Amino acid sequence: LIASEFMESRGLLLEAFPKESHEKLRQSLKTVLSPRMLLEWEYWLPNSALVQSKFPPPPIRGNRQLVPLESAPNMLFEAKDMENCLRFLIQDVILGRSYFYLYQGNTRAIVSLEREPDGTWEFGEMHGFDNAIVPTECVQSAKGIAEDQLELRNMQTKLKSASK
């Protein structure tokens, strides 16, 4: 498979990476000689190529309890600190499909906001350390913060769409 076909088969889109890294990715993939090497290549890919990508602005500003992860290094740090798979989701932020926040209430957790086909954003998921289930009161707190701020943003998005 050529690099872009392999990446697409794994849910990785070449356009999620900085243009200047496309050829580097193709060359890097050519060095893979075994299934084990392929797994290692795939494991380190988000760390190496996406870390230089610019993130779009967060859909909501958050607050002291709900802090946007506004860069790949921030996401990588939290992925390591929280022992989760957040590092594999950097491309979703770059492509505008998701945005991630650190919740710092009674417990630390990662919150996702997901972009809907109509351009609005919705509260997605919330997971604690090692993707553990978060206490209900923490989920309600984070969801309340996010939904209060999303309500205004989503109204503005719908008004823009209606005026076109």
Side-chain angles (χ1 to χ4, degrees):
L1 292 176
I2 62 169
S4 60
E5 288 174 349
F6 169 78
M7 291 169 67
E8 285 177 29
S9 75
R10 291 295 208 244
L12 299 168
L13 301 174
L14 202 55
E15 65 263 17
F17 298 87
K19 253 195 179 9
E20 58 275 7
S21 68
H22 291 189
E23 188 54 35
K24 224 183 241 186
L25 288 169
R26 287 186 186 95
Q27 294 304 317
S28 173
L29 190 55
K30 287 179 184 178
T31 66
V32 174
L33 304 174
S34 70
R36 180 179 167 87
M37 285 178 74
L38 184 60
L39 289 174
E40 288 176 16
W41 183 88
E42 191 176 14
Y43 179 84
W44 290 108
L45 179 64
N47 292 350
S48 60
L50 290 177
V51 76
Q52 301 160 12
S53 298
K54 184 167 172 45
F55 274 24
I60 59 171
R61 70 183 183 288
N63 62 19
R64 281 186 285 172
Q65 276 191 302
L66 194 62
V67 180
L69 299 177
E70 298 182 87
S71 69
N74 287 352
M75 284 183 67
L76 292 170
F77 176 84
E78 291 304 331
K80 184 175 182 180
D81 196 50
M82 299 286 288
E83 294 187 16
N84 62 31
C85 60
L86 197 56
R87 66 191 179 83
F88 292 116
L89 302 171
I90 293 170
Q91 69 175 347
D92 290 344
V93 175
I94 294 166
L95 293 172
R97 295 190 290 223
S98 302
Y99 217 95
F100 298 90
Y101 292 75
L102 174 63
Y103 176 76
Q104 302 178 109
N106 294 339
T107 188
R108 288 181 78 231
I110 300 297
V111 171
S112 71
L113 298 182
E114 305 299 328
R115 190 174 195 167
E116 299 298 313
D118 67 358
T120 61
W121 290 83
E122 298 293 328
F123 187 88
E125 299 179 356
M126 185 171 179
H127 299 284
F129 181 80
D130 195 24
N131 290 325
I133 295 172
V134 178
T136 304
E137 62 272 6
C138 293
V139 175
Q140 290 172 341
S141 172
K143 195 170 186 178
I145 295 165
E147 288 181 346
D148 284 348
Q149 292 184 28
L150 283 171
E151 186 176 2
L152 178 60
R153 180 190 171 93
N154 287 341
M155 272 196 288
Q156 292 169 340
T157 299
K158 288 177 182 177
L159 286 172
K160 283 181 188 176
S161 295
S163 67
K164 288 183 181 180

